[in-house]
Amino acid sequence: MKREIPILITLIFGVFMIVQFFIPHPAVNDIANRLQNWAIIVIAFSYVLGSANILRINGELVYRRGPGWLYKLVLVIAFFMMVIPGMFLGIGEGTWTNDRLFTNTYIPLASTMYASLAFFIASAAFRAFRVRTWQASVLALTAVIVMLGRIPISHMIWHDLPNVVDWVMNVPNAVAQRGILIGAALGAIATGLKVILGIERSYLGRE
Amino acid sequence: MLLKSLTLSVIVLLESIAVFGQTDTAIVVLGQGAAPTQVAVTDAPNDGGEALNVSWTPTSQVGFTILKYQLLAAESAAGPFQLMAEVDSKTSEARMSSGDGWKVEPDKPYFIKVVAVDSTTLAVPDSTNPDSVTVRFEKRLRLSESAVVGPTYPIASWFNWNRLNIFLMVMLFYVLVMVMVKRAKAGQVLWFRKIAGIDAIDEAIGRATELGKPVLYVPGTQNIENIQTIASIQLLTSVATKAATYDIPIIVPLNRAFMVTVAEEAVKQGFMNAGRPDAYVRDNIRYMSDEQFAFTSGVTGIMLREKTAAHFYLGAFFAESLILSEVGFTSGAIQIAGTANTHQLPFFVVACDYTLIGEEYFATSALVTRDVEMMGTLKATDYMKAFIIVCMLASMVLELFGVQFMRSWFQVI
């Protein structure tokens, strides 16, 4: 029964959510909206679990001076610095927590991380465009054409270059992407069906 | 009474026009010549009773340059009428649904009128000099209202016939899954092509074993409601089983708090499958942060500090994909990625040793576990793909002969 009841619940609600896609009647839609709200509430409660996980793992390492304990200490302090003022001062715009800690501290750090992506792209492109096989040559040549076609003076190199690049992006590139998408969409539907029909049960944990 | 209702209409229209900010003058006059005729209001089909379709015939009289049409609705014939939609002058039909502060609801009566807006030039006495007989010419908007039509009742539909195509495809797929699962259970041998990335899972765990370093498994950055995450959790159990077999720790950093329990259960199951429940370390399932780049820094920190030797990136990824895989590459780990997010695939292909592309990623759990029911489902997916390819080819041939029904049939609304 420990496994049958969750599988039954998954089946009922899974089938209901598929069916409601085809039934626009408010009687059905209202229930679907309510179910989605339940999911949001359950997910909201999971943050308690997440916080406990962070504190347990990192707190323990700090306590027994494990490897990298100093980093963990910074993490735990940062955690409390965000949580405690957030609880008492609020987290909306204009509050100290939001403006000082999130907008002025976290967001610049995240932006820095995001900006480093440019360098990672450069190093990855360097490896990808090394001409060693004929496939790599085609890739490198196409990449050079697309890059040249995307720069502001591309039409000065050759007036039809932007059109060539548009064709590369809209025809061969789009075709390949759509092929992958169709396969992935079917795989996603199959995975959903496996879960709803109880074929896939790994999400239930221990047998 | 008539004067009062006219004044009220003018005020309502003035407010409506002011809200939409499309006046060339704030003053309007009422006219009749340009009023639309044959206004027809019907229930919009295939919806939850939240819209009405309105059509009309523009005036046949000459000399009017219509700027736009306004659709007004009220719950009684006497009003007050509320502006529900505005359409350009070339249109003669519109869909009217709920707007700001006004809701179209099923089984309620609605009275509709269509207003044609054009501009006219009026001669206005010069008010600055009462003794003068001179006039000024001013441009003003002229509103010509149709007759009020109604009541019309929006009806909530019990089936969206526009989605019949999707419904039939889902049913076909369901039947295929059932048939193929039955065949697989009956012992029919199902053939699948070899996927290099799947064989590489053993290779990666073997490398980690040789080096005596942990395995890192990132199940994407989305929550459990994402189908890619569900597929990743299936794989996590298999990877954890293999890691436990070789007595290698597996670290699972998580981007969503909700995933903590799910990942803990999946890994625990894997260790139990391998007969090593004692080797399971709960602290290796680590919730990092919901924030994308905080999570990314945390994971790259694990790679560099704990020297993980095999990295699995399986799930839904976004901008963090290249950062993770490039840092993993520089750390010298063997890397296997899989995602259905097509925009991240090139990054993984470049930086990882093996990449499971789109459908391969969803097929992996069946091919790793060799579970007959899952293999049956996978075969059904292959047949469905073949059916879609046949439909596409047939559609191409039919298009060449000018027959377009398949293209329109496959359009999703």
Side-chain angles (χ1 to χ4, degrees), chain A residues 21-22 24 47 53 56 106 114 123-124 127 200 205-207, chain B residues 48 157 160 163 234 269 283 285 287 290-291 293 326 329 350 362:
Chain A
F21 179 75
F22 302 102
Y47 284 99
N53 183 281
R56 195 189 69 235
Y106 171 72
Y114 187 62
S123 70
R127 284 203 308 282
E200 165 52 49
R206 283 164 286 179
E207 294 280 357
Chain B
S157 307
N160 185 347
R163 291 178 175 169
Q234 296 166 7
Q269 177 66 52
D283 287 357
I285 316 301
Y287 168 63
D290 267 43
E291 291 294 328
F293 291 107
E326 272 294 292
F329 175 82
V350 167
F362 289 110

PDB file of all heavy atoms in Angstrom, chain A residues 21-22 24 47 53 56 106 114 123-124 127 200 205-207, chain B residues 48 157 160 163 234 269 283 285 287 290-291 293 326 329 350 362:
ATOM      1  N   PHE A  21      -6.515  20.062 -20.045  1.00  0.00           N
ATOM      2  CA  PHE A  21      -5.949  20.796 -21.179  1.00  0.00           C
ATOM      3  C   PHE A  21      -6.966  20.864 -22.323  1.00  0.00           C
ATOM      4  O   PHE A  21      -6.976  21.794 -23.111  1.00  0.00           O
ATOM      5  CB  PHE A  21      -4.660  20.101 -21.639  1.00  0.00           C
ATOM      6  CG  PHE A  21      -4.007  20.754 -22.819  1.00  0.00           C
ATOM      7  CD1 PHE A  21      -3.307  21.944 -22.684  1.00  0.00           C
ATOM      8  CD2 PHE A  21      -4.090  20.177 -24.091  1.00  0.00           C
ATOM      9  CE1 PHE A  21      -2.717  22.555 -23.782  1.00  0.00           C
ATOM     10  CE2 PHE A  21      -3.494  20.780 -25.187  1.00  0.00           C
ATOM     11  CZ  PHE A  21      -2.807  21.967 -25.035  1.00  0.00           C
ATOM     12  N   PHE A  22      -7.824  19.843 -22.388  1.00  0.00           N
ATOM     13  CA  PHE A  22      -8.797  19.769 -23.487  1.00  0.00           C
ATOM     14  C   PHE A  22     -10.168  20.307 -23.086  1.00  0.00           C
ATOM     15  O   PHE A  22     -11.034  20.447 -23.920  1.00  0.00           O
ATOM     16  CB  PHE A  22      -8.932  18.322 -23.975  1.00  0.00           C
ATOM     17  CG  PHE A  22      -7.630  17.739 -24.442  1.00  0.00           C
ATOM     18  CD1 PHE A  22      -6.908  16.862 -23.657  1.00  0.00           C
ATOM     19  CD2 PHE A  22      -7.112  18.099 -25.676  1.00  0.00           C
ATOM     20  CE1 PHE A  22      -5.701  16.345 -24.086  1.00  0.00           C
ATOM     21  CE2 PHE A  22      -5.909  17.588 -26.117  1.00  0.00           C
ATOM     22  CZ  PHE A  22      -5.199  16.716 -25.316  1.00  0.00           C
ATOM     23  N   PRO A  24     -12.106  23.392 -21.522  1.00  0.00           N
ATOM     24  CA  PRO A  24     -11.960  24.785 -21.057  1.00  0.00           C
ATOM     25  C   PRO A  24     -13.003  25.203 -20.018  1.00  0.00           C
ATOM     26  O   PRO A  24     -12.969  26.327 -19.542  1.00  0.00           O
ATOM     27  CB  PRO A  24     -12.138  25.589 -22.355  1.00  0.00           C
ATOM     28  CG  PRO A  24     -12.964  24.726 -23.237  1.00  0.00           C
ATOM     29  CD  PRO A  24     -12.758  23.304 -22.832  1.00  0.00           C
ATOM     30  N   TYR A  47      11.267  24.960   1.351  1.00  0.00           N
ATOM     31  CA  TYR A  47      12.397  25.831   1.678  1.00  0.00           C
ATOM     32  C   TYR A  47      12.879  25.628   3.113  1.00  0.00           C
ATOM     33  O   TYR A  47      14.048  25.858   3.417  1.00  0.00           O
ATOM     34  CB  TYR A  47      12.043  27.299   1.418  1.00  0.00           C
ATOM     35  CG  TYR A  47      12.061  27.596  -0.052  1.00  0.00           C
ATOM     36  CD1 TYR A  47      10.900  27.620  -0.790  1.00  0.00           C
ATOM     37  CD2 TYR A  47      13.268  27.789  -0.711  1.00  0.00           C
ATOM     38  CE1 TYR A  47      10.924  27.838  -2.153  1.00  0.00           C
ATOM     39  CE2 TYR A  47      13.300  28.018  -2.078  1.00  0.00           C
ATOM     40  CZ  TYR A  47      12.124  28.038  -2.792  1.00  0.00           C
ATOM     41  OH  TYR A  47      12.160  28.248  -4.146  1.00  0.00           O
ATOM     42  N   ASN A  53      18.917  21.672   5.409  1.00  0.00           N
ATOM     43  CA  ASN A  53      19.992  20.949   4.725  1.00  0.00           C
ATOM     44  C   ASN A  53      21.273  21.784   4.703  1.00  0.00           C
ATOM     45  O   ASN A  53      22.349  21.296   5.043  1.00  0.00           O
ATOM     46  CB  ASN A  53      19.527  20.625   3.298  1.00  0.00           C
ATOM     47  CG  ASN A  53      20.550  19.817   2.518  1.00  0.00           C
ATOM     48  OD1 ASN A  53      21.511  20.371   2.037  1.00  0.00           O
ATOM     49  ND2 ASN A  53      20.332  18.513   2.419  1.00  0.00           N
ATOM     50  N   ARG A  56      22.644  22.029   8.335  1.00  0.00           N
ATOM     51  CA  ARG A  56      23.154  20.763   8.873  1.00  0.00           C
ATOM     52  C   ARG A  56      24.533  20.444   8.292  1.00  0.00           C
ATOM     53  O   ARG A  56      25.489  20.201   9.023  1.00  0.00           O
ATOM     54  CB  ARG A  56      22.174  19.625   8.533  1.00  0.00           C
ATOM     55  CG  ARG A  56      22.431  18.378   9.350  1.00  0.00           C
ATOM     56  CD  ARG A  56      21.623  17.193   8.873  1.00  0.00           C
ATOM     57  NE  ARG A  56      22.083  16.750   7.575  1.00  0.00           N
ATOM     58  CZ  ARG A  56      21.299  16.632   6.513  1.00  0.00           C
ATOM     59  NH1 ARG A  56      20.032  16.972   6.577  1.00  0.00           N
ATOM     60  NH2 ARG A  56      21.777  16.213   5.356  1.00  0.00           N
ATOM     61  N   TYR A 106      24.332  40.845  -3.810  1.00  0.00           N
ATOM     62  CA  TYR A 106      24.214  39.585  -4.558  1.00  0.00           C
ATOM     63  C   TYR A 106      24.178  39.811  -6.073  1.00  0.00           C
ATOM     64  O   TYR A 106      24.891  39.136  -6.829  1.00  0.00           O
ATOM     65  CB  TYR A 106      22.966  38.789  -4.117  1.00  0.00           C
ATOM     66  CG  TYR A 106      22.754  37.615  -5.038  1.00  0.00           C
ATOM     67  CD1 TYR A 106      23.607  36.516  -4.983  1.00  0.00           C
ATOM     68  CD2 TYR A 106      21.777  37.639  -6.026  1.00  0.00           C
ATOM     69  CE1 TYR A 106      23.482  35.463  -5.867  1.00  0.00           C
ATOM     70  CE2 TYR A 106      21.645  36.589  -6.922  1.00  0.00           C
ATOM     71  CZ  TYR A 106      22.497  35.513  -6.837  1.00  0.00           C
ATOM     72  OH  TYR A 106      22.381  34.483  -7.726  1.00  0.00           O
ATOM     73  N   TYR A 114      28.028  35.867 -14.441  1.00  0.00           N
ATOM     74  CA  TYR A 114      27.429  35.773 -15.779  1.00  0.00           C
ATOM     75  C   TYR A 114      28.391  36.339 -16.823  1.00  0.00           C
ATOM     76  O   TYR A 114      28.524  35.795 -17.922  1.00  0.00           O
ATOM     77  CB  TYR A 114      26.097  36.528 -15.805  1.00  0.00           C
ATOM     78  CG  TYR A 114      25.335  36.355 -17.087  1.00  0.00           C
ATOM     79  CD1 TYR A 114      24.902  35.096 -17.494  1.00  0.00           C
ATOM     80  CD2 TYR A 114      25.040  37.437 -17.901  1.00  0.00           C
ATOM     81  CE1 TYR A 114      24.204  34.918 -18.665  1.00  0.00           C
ATOM     82  CE2 TYR A 114      24.344  37.273 -19.083  1.00  0.00           C
ATOM     83  CZ  TYR A 114      23.929  36.013 -19.463  1.00  0.00           C
ATOM     84  OH  TYR A 114      23.243  35.832 -20.632  1.00  0.00           O
ATOM     85  N   SER A 123      37.035  30.304 -24.716  1.00  0.00           N
ATOM     86  CA  SER A 123      37.900  29.117 -24.588  1.00  0.00           C
ATOM     87  C   SER A 123      37.234  27.892 -25.208  1.00  0.00           C
ATOM     88  O   SER A 123      37.898  27.072 -25.845  1.00  0.00           O
ATOM     89  CB  SER A 123      38.253  28.869 -23.121  1.00  0.00           C
ATOM     90  OG  SER A 123      37.129  28.440 -22.418  1.00  0.00           O
ATOM     91  N   ALA A 124      35.895  27.785 -25.051  1.00  0.00           N
ATOM     92  CA  ALA A 124      35.179  26.641 -25.642  1.00  0.00           C
ATOM     93  C   ALA A 124      35.216  26.738 -27.165  1.00  0.00           C
ATOM     94  O   ALA A 124      35.419  25.729 -27.848  1.00  0.00           O
ATOM     95  CB  ALA A 124      33.746  26.611 -25.137  1.00  0.00           C
ATOM     96  N   ARG A 127      38.484  25.590 -28.735  1.00  0.00           N
ATOM     97  CA  ARG A 127      38.605  24.128 -28.880  1.00  0.00           C
ATOM     98  C   ARG A 127      37.711  23.599 -30.000  1.00  0.00           C
ATOM     99  O   ARG A 127      38.102  22.739 -30.772  1.00  0.00           O
ATOM    100  CB  ARG A 127      38.232  23.444 -27.573  1.00  0.00           C
ATOM    101  CG  ARG A 127      39.285  23.515 -26.515  1.00  0.00           C
ATOM    102  CD  ARG A 127      39.100  22.386 -25.511  1.00  0.00           C
ATOM    103  NE  ARG A 127      37.755  22.313 -24.976  1.00  0.00           N
ATOM    104  CZ  ARG A 127      37.269  23.121 -24.026  1.00  0.00           C
ATOM    105  NH1 ARG A 127      38.027  24.058 -23.516  1.00  0.00           N
ATOM    106  NH2 ARG A 127      36.041  22.985 -23.591  1.00  0.00           N
ATOM    107  N   GLU A 200       7.220   4.145 -14.414  1.00  0.00           N
ATOM    108  CA  GLU A 200       8.408   4.727 -13.796  1.00  0.00           C
ATOM    109  C   GLU A 200       8.076   5.056 -12.337  1.00  0.00           C
ATOM    110  O   GLU A 200       7.149   5.829 -12.075  1.00  0.00           O
ATOM    111  CB  GLU A 200       8.789   6.002 -14.583  1.00  0.00           C
ATOM    112  CG  GLU A 200       9.753   6.924 -13.897  1.00  0.00           C
ATOM    113  CD  GLU A 200      11.002   6.236 -13.416  1.00  0.00           C
ATOM    114  OE1 GLU A 200      11.606   5.516 -14.197  1.00  0.00           O
ATOM    115  OE2 GLU A 200      11.354   6.425 -12.233  1.00  0.00           O
ATOM    116  N   GLY A 205      11.077   6.553  -4.396  1.00  0.00           N
ATOM    117  CA  GLY A 205      12.131   6.176  -3.458  1.00  0.00           C
ATOM    118  C   GLY A 205      12.190   4.681  -3.239  1.00  0.00           C
ATOM    119  O   GLY A 205      11.915   3.899  -4.135  1.00  0.00           O
ATOM    120  N   ARG A 206      12.484   4.310  -1.982  1.00  0.00           N
ATOM    121  CA  ARG A 206      12.781   2.901  -1.676  1.00  0.00           C
ATOM    122  C   ARG A 206      11.626   1.961  -1.976  1.00  0.00           C
ATOM    123  O   ARG A 206      10.467   2.281  -1.735  1.00  0.00           O
ATOM    124  CB  ARG A 206      13.157   2.769  -0.191  1.00  0.00           C
ATOM    125  CG  ARG A 206      14.551   3.221   0.082  1.00  0.00           C
ATOM    126  CD  ARG A 206      14.749   3.436   1.527  1.00  0.00           C
ATOM    127  NE  ARG A 206      14.094   4.647   1.969  1.00  0.00           N
ATOM    128  CZ  ARG A 206      14.088   5.075   3.217  1.00  0.00           C
ATOM    129  NH1 ARG A 206      14.659   4.382   4.143  1.00  0.00           N
ATOM    130  NH2 ARG A 206      13.501   6.195   3.538  1.00  0.00           N
ATOM    131  N   GLU A 207      11.976   0.773  -2.530  1.00  0.00           N
ATOM    132  CA  GLU A 207      10.966  -0.266  -2.810  1.00  0.00           C
ATOM    133  C   GLU A 207      10.430  -0.846  -1.511  1.00  0.00           C
ATOM    134  O   GLU A 207      11.162  -1.004  -0.578  1.00  0.00           O
ATOM    135  CB  GLU A 207      11.615  -1.389  -3.632  1.00  0.00           C
ATOM    136  CG  GLU A 207      12.059  -0.975  -5.026  1.00  0.00           C
ATOM    137  CD  GLU A 207      10.927  -0.930  -6.041  1.00  0.00           C
ATOM    138  OE1 GLU A 207       9.795  -1.271  -5.664  1.00  0.00           O
ATOM    139  OE2 GLU A 207      11.172  -0.539  -7.184  1.00  0.00           O
TER     140      GLU A 207
ATOM    141  N   GLY B  48     -13.938  28.841 -22.155  1.00  0.00           N
ATOM    142  CA  GLY B  48     -14.633  28.643 -20.884  1.00  0.00           C
ATOM    143  C   GLY B  48     -15.763  29.639 -20.666  1.00  0.00           C
ATOM    144  O   GLY B  48     -16.092  29.962 -19.529  1.00  0.00           O
ATOM    145  N   SER B 157     -17.580  25.796 -22.879  1.00  0.00           N
ATOM    146  CA  SER B 157     -17.526  24.535 -23.647  1.00  0.00           C
ATOM    147  C   SER B 157     -16.950  23.411 -22.788  1.00  0.00           C
ATOM    148  O   SER B 157     -16.115  23.654 -21.922  1.00  0.00           O
ATOM    149  CB  SER B 157     -16.627  24.717 -24.874  1.00  0.00           C
ATOM    150  OG  SER B 157     -17.041  25.826 -25.602  1.00  0.00           O
ATOM    151  N   ASN B 160     -12.487  21.518 -26.072  1.00  0.00           N
ATOM    152  CA  ASN B 160     -11.887  22.486 -26.985  1.00  0.00           C
ATOM    153  C   ASN B 160     -11.576  21.770 -28.301  1.00  0.00           C
ATOM    154  O   ASN B 160     -10.570  21.069 -28.419  1.00  0.00           O
ATOM    155  CB  ASN B 160     -10.614  23.070 -26.357  1.00  0.00           C
ATOM    156  CG  ASN B 160     -10.014  24.161 -27.205  1.00  0.00           C
ATOM    157  OD1 ASN B 160     -10.382  24.341 -28.367  1.00  0.00           O
ATOM    158  ND2 ASN B 160      -9.087  24.899 -26.628  1.00  0.00           N
ATOM    159  N   ARG B 163      -8.278  21.656 -30.159  1.00  0.00           N
ATOM    160  CA  ARG B 163      -7.192  20.796 -29.688  1.00  0.00           C
ATOM    161  C   ARG B 163      -7.445  19.319 -29.975  1.00  0.00           C
ATOM    162  O   ARG B 163      -6.806  18.449 -29.396  1.00  0.00           O
ATOM    163  CB  ARG B 163      -6.976  21.017 -28.180  1.00  0.00           C
ATOM    164  CG  ARG B 163      -6.404  22.384 -27.898  1.00  0.00           C
ATOM    165  CD  ARG B 163      -6.237  22.646 -26.425  1.00  0.00           C
ATOM    166  NE  ARG B 163      -5.565  23.927 -26.220  1.00  0.00           N
ATOM    167  CZ  ARG B 163      -5.447  24.538 -25.050  1.00  0.00           C
ATOM    168  NH1 ARG B 163      -5.940  23.979 -23.973  1.00  0.00           N
ATOM    169  NH2 ARG B 163      -4.839  25.696 -24.954  1.00  0.00           N
ATOM    170  N   GLN B 234      15.409   9.582 -12.444  1.00  0.00           N
ATOM    171  CA  GLN B 234      15.461   8.162 -12.819  1.00  0.00           C
ATOM    172  C   GLN B 234      16.907   7.735 -13.029  1.00  0.00           C
ATOM    173  O   GLN B 234      17.344   6.673 -12.579  1.00  0.00           O
ATOM    174  CB  GLN B 234      14.691   7.932 -14.126  1.00  0.00           C
ATOM    175  CG  GLN B 234      13.212   8.228 -14.027  1.00  0.00           C
ATOM    176  CD  GLN B 234      12.559   8.318 -15.398  1.00  0.00           C
ATOM    177  OE1 GLN B 234      13.166   8.038 -16.411  1.00  0.00           O
ATOM    178  NE2 GLN B 234      11.308   8.725 -15.418  1.00  0.00           N
ATOM    179  N   GLN B 269      17.994   4.809  -2.759  1.00  0.00           N
ATOM    180  CA  GLN B 269      17.511   3.647  -3.527  1.00  0.00           C
ATOM    181  C   GLN B 269      18.656   3.012  -4.312  1.00  0.00           C
ATOM    182  O   GLN B 269      18.799   1.784  -4.351  1.00  0.00           O
ATOM    183  CB  GLN B 269      16.403   4.100  -4.482  1.00  0.00           C
ATOM    184  CG  GLN B 269      15.856   3.022  -5.392  1.00  0.00           C
ATOM    185  CD  GLN B 269      15.128   1.941  -4.623  1.00  0.00           C
ATOM    186  OE1 GLN B 269      14.246   2.245  -3.821  1.00  0.00           O
ATOM    187  NE2 GLN B 269      15.507   0.693  -4.822  1.00  0.00           N
ATOM    188  N   ASP B 283      24.853  13.664   3.720  1.00  0.00           N
ATOM    189  CA  ASP B 283      25.403  15.009   3.550  1.00  0.00           C
ATOM    190  C   ASP B 283      25.918  15.279   2.140  1.00  0.00           C
ATOM    191  O   ASP B 283      26.266  16.415   1.819  1.00  0.00           O
ATOM    192  CB  ASP B 283      26.534  15.254   4.557  1.00  0.00           C
ATOM    193  CG  ASP B 283      25.992  15.452   5.959  1.00  0.00           C
ATOM    194  OD1 ASP B 283      24.749  15.448   6.111  1.00  0.00           O
ATOM    195  OD2 ASP B 283      26.784  15.599   6.900  1.00  0.00           O
ATOM    196  N   ILE B 285      24.062  14.985  -0.449  1.00  0.00           N
ATOM    197  CA  ILE B 285      22.936  15.578  -1.187  1.00  0.00           C
ATOM    198  C   ILE B 285      22.836  17.002  -0.658  1.00  0.00           C
ATOM    199  O   ILE B 285      22.366  17.232   0.463  1.00  0.00           O
ATOM    200  CB  ILE B 285      21.609  14.820  -0.938  1.00  0.00           C
ATOM    201  CG1 ILE B 285      21.809  13.300  -0.982  1.00  0.00           C
ATOM    202  CG2 ILE B 285      20.520  15.286  -1.891  1.00  0.00           C
ATOM    203  CD1 ILE B 285      22.344  12.766  -2.271  1.00  0.00           C
ATOM    204  N   TYR B 287      21.766  20.978  -0.896  1.00  0.00           N
ATOM    205  CA  TYR B 287      21.014  22.107  -1.469  1.00  0.00           C
ATOM    206  C   TYR B 287      21.946  23.311  -1.431  1.00  0.00           C
ATOM    207  O   TYR B 287      22.467  23.668  -0.375  1.00  0.00           O
ATOM    208  CB  TYR B 287      19.743  22.351  -0.657  1.00  0.00           C
ATOM    209  CG  TYR B 287      19.052  23.651  -0.983  1.00  0.00           C
ATOM    210  CD1 TYR B 287      18.546  23.874  -2.268  1.00  0.00           C
ATOM    211  CD2 TYR B 287      18.905  24.648  -0.040  1.00  0.00           C
ATOM    212  CE1 TYR B 287      17.921  25.063  -2.582  1.00  0.00           C
ATOM    213  CE2 TYR B 287      18.273  25.840  -0.346  1.00  0.00           C
ATOM    214  CZ  TYR B 287      17.785  26.040  -1.612  1.00  0.00           C
ATOM    215  OH  TYR B 287      17.167  27.219  -1.921  1.00  0.00           O
ATOM    216  N   ASP B 290      18.730  28.615  -4.678  1.00  0.00           N
ATOM    217  CA  ASP B 290      17.795  28.735  -5.790  1.00  0.00           C
ATOM    218  C   ASP B 290      18.316  29.701  -6.841  1.00  0.00           C
ATOM    219  O   ASP B 290      17.870  29.698  -7.977  1.00  0.00           O
ATOM    220  CB  ASP B 290      16.440  29.233  -5.295  1.00  0.00           C
ATOM    221  CG  ASP B 290      15.505  28.094  -4.985  1.00  0.00           C
ATOM    222  OD1 ASP B 290      15.977  27.125  -4.375  1.00  0.00           O
ATOM    223  OD2 ASP B 290      14.324  28.180  -5.357  1.00  0.00           O
ATOM    224  N   GLU B 291      19.230  30.565  -6.416  1.00  0.00           N
ATOM    225  CA  GLU B 291      19.756  31.572  -7.335  1.00  0.00           C
ATOM    226  C   GLU B 291      20.735  30.922  -8.310  1.00  0.00           C
ATOM    227  O   GLU B 291      21.653  30.207  -7.895  1.00  0.00           O
ATOM    228  CB  GLU B 291      20.456  32.685  -6.550  1.00  0.00           C
ATOM    229  CG  GLU B 291      19.499  33.540  -5.727  1.00  0.00           C
ATOM    230  CD  GLU B 291      18.549  34.341  -6.594  1.00  0.00           C
ATOM    231  OE1 GLU B 291      18.935  34.727  -7.701  1.00  0.00           O
ATOM    232  OE2 GLU B 291      17.406  34.577  -6.153  1.00  0.00           O
ATOM    233  N   PHE B 293      23.310  31.790 -10.308  1.00  0.00           N
ATOM    234  CA  PHE B 293      24.766  31.894 -10.297  1.00  0.00           C
ATOM    235  C   PHE B 293      25.374  31.623  -8.918  1.00  0.00           C
ATOM    236  O   PHE B 293      26.548  31.266  -8.837  1.00  0.00           O
ATOM    237  CB  PHE B 293      25.212  33.237 -10.878  1.00  0.00           C
ATOM    238  CG  PHE B 293      24.931  33.284 -12.352  1.00  0.00           C
ATOM    239  CD1 PHE B 293      23.910  34.060 -12.859  1.00  0.00           C
ATOM    240  CD2 PHE B 293      25.645  32.482 -13.227  1.00  0.00           C
ATOM    241  CE1 PHE B 293      23.625  34.059 -14.213  1.00  0.00           C
ATOM    242  CE2 PHE B 293      25.371  32.481 -14.588  1.00  0.00           C
ATOM    243  CZ  PHE B 293      24.358  33.268 -15.075  1.00  0.00           C
ATOM    244  N   GLU B 326      32.811  24.005 -18.519  1.00  0.00           N
ATOM    245  CA  GLU B 326      34.173  24.488 -18.773  1.00  0.00           C
ATOM    246  C   GLU B 326      35.059  24.345 -17.525  1.00  0.00           C
ATOM    247  O   GLU B 326      36.213  23.949 -17.623  1.00  0.00           O
ATOM    248  CB  GLU B 326      34.144  25.949 -19.228  1.00  0.00           C
ATOM    249  CG  GLU B 326      33.989  26.117 -20.726  1.00  0.00           C
ATOM    250  CD  GLU B 326      35.173  25.603 -21.524  1.00  0.00           C
ATOM    251  OE1 GLU B 326      36.262  26.184 -21.458  1.00  0.00           O
ATOM    252  OE2 GLU B 326      34.986  24.574 -22.221  1.00  0.00           O
ATOM    253  N   PHE B 329      35.846  20.839 -17.287  1.00  0.00           N
ATOM    254  CA  PHE B 329      36.857  20.474 -18.287  1.00  0.00           C
ATOM    255  C   PHE B 329      38.260  20.829 -17.792  1.00  0.00           C
ATOM    256  O   PHE B 329      39.187  20.024 -17.879  1.00  0.00           O
ATOM    257  CB  PHE B 329      36.555  21.197 -19.600  1.00  0.00           C
ATOM    258  CG  PHE B 329      37.591  20.979 -20.660  1.00  0.00           C
ATOM    259  CD1 PHE B 329      37.577  19.836 -21.441  1.00  0.00           C
ATOM    260  CD2 PHE B 329      38.601  21.903 -20.864  1.00  0.00           C
ATOM    261  CE1 PHE B 329      38.541  19.617 -22.409  1.00  0.00           C
ATOM    262  CE2 PHE B 329      39.576  21.697 -21.830  1.00  0.00           C
ATOM    263  CZ  PHE B 329      39.546  20.560 -22.604  1.00  0.00           C
ATOM    264  N   VAL B 350      30.659  20.962 -26.820  1.00  0.00           N
ATOM    265  CA  VAL B 350      32.032  21.472 -26.885  1.00  0.00           C
ATOM    266  C   VAL B 350      32.838  21.073 -25.643  1.00  0.00           C
ATOM    267  O   VAL B 350      33.983  20.654 -25.755  1.00  0.00           O
ATOM    268  CB  VAL B 350      32.008  23.012 -27.041  1.00  0.00           C
ATOM    269  CG1 VAL B 350      33.380  23.604 -26.805  1.00  0.00           C
ATOM    270  CG2 VAL B 350      31.522  23.381 -28.428  1.00  0.00           C
ATOM    271  N   PHE B 362      16.180  11.318 -22.827  1.00  0.00           N
ATOM    272  CA  PHE B 362      14.983  10.686 -22.253  1.00  0.00           C
ATOM    273  C   PHE B 362      15.031   9.159 -22.394  1.00  0.00           C
ATOM    274  O   PHE B 362      14.358   8.448 -21.649  1.00  0.00           O
ATOM    275  CB  PHE B 362      13.719  11.232 -22.925  1.00  0.00           C
ATOM    276  CG  PHE B 362      13.424  12.649 -22.527  1.00  0.00           C
ATOM    277  CD1 PHE B 362      13.572  13.684 -23.435  1.00  0.00           C
ATOM    278  CD2 PHE B 362      13.014  12.962 -21.250  1.00  0.00           C
ATOM    279  CE1 PHE B 362      13.312  14.990 -23.069  1.00  0.00           C
ATOM    280  CE2 PHE B 362      12.756  14.267 -20.869  1.00  0.00           C
ATOM    281  CZ  PHE B 362      12.905  15.289 -21.786  1.00  0.00           C
TER     282      PHE B 362
END
